[in-house]
Amino acid sequence: MSVARIRSIDFDDEGIADAYEKEVQENGAKWIPEAELIILIRTTDTSAILLTTFSSEEEAEIVANRLADWSESYGASSWNNRYRDSFVLMGQVNAQHIAPQIRP
């Protein structure tokens, strides 16, 4: 069963939030190829919820550790150093339904 990591992210300003949103859209799957699902929900001009799912808790921890190492290596230019987490939650995914896309 999959596990989800949910992060509430706060940015210093709208411009940084906009840039992060664009980066996730363009590169999220490259940053976290292990993720089954990546969803970014903009909650205000300067905040977002990031939901990622992984095949296991171990896989999620491997990714979290890799991103933490990357953050330390790249310092202030790292995305992890350009926002603050209000909270981070992790839990098992017990239900998931993705509706098929209906195109006109």
Side-chain angles (χ1 to χ4, degrees), residues 4 12 35 37-38 40 53 64 76 89 99-100 103:
D12 288 335
L37 181 68
I38 301 170
L40 180 68
T53 64
L89 302 171
R103 307 240 184 235

Side-chain angles (χ1 to χ4, degrees), residues 23-45:
E23 282 289 323
V24 171
Q25 290 170 346
E26 295 175 359
N27 298 307
K30 294 176 196 171
W31 293 343
I32 313 172
E34 302 88 346
E36 297 173 331
L37 181 68
I38 301 170
I39 298 176
L40 180 68
I41 303 157
R42 203 62 184 268
T43 53
T44 70
D45 290 342

Side-chain angles (χ1 to χ4, degrees), residues 26-96:
E26 295 175 359
N27 298 307
K30 294 176 196 171
W31 293 343
I32 313 172
E34 302 88 346
E36 297 173 331
L37 181 68
I38 301 170
I39 298 176
L40 180 68
I41 303 157
R42 203 62 184 268
T43 53
T44 70
D45 290 342
T46 59
S47 65
I49 298 289
L50 179 64
L51 168 72
T52 51
T53 64
F54 300 93
S55 62
S56 68
E57 190 171 332
E58 293 79 19
E59 191 77 23
E61 286 302 316
I62 289 168
V63 170
N65 291 335
R66 185 181 72 234
L67 293 176
D69 290 345
W70 183 80
S71 180
E72 286 183 28
S73 297
Y74 286 89
S77 66
S78 165
W79 276 113
N80 285 355
N81 294 318
R82 298 176 69 194
Y83 59 73
R84 295 166 311 287
D85 286 323
S86 291
F87 63 80
V88 178
L89 302 171
M90 191 161 95
Q92 189 148 354
V93 177
N94 294 320
Q96 177 177 321

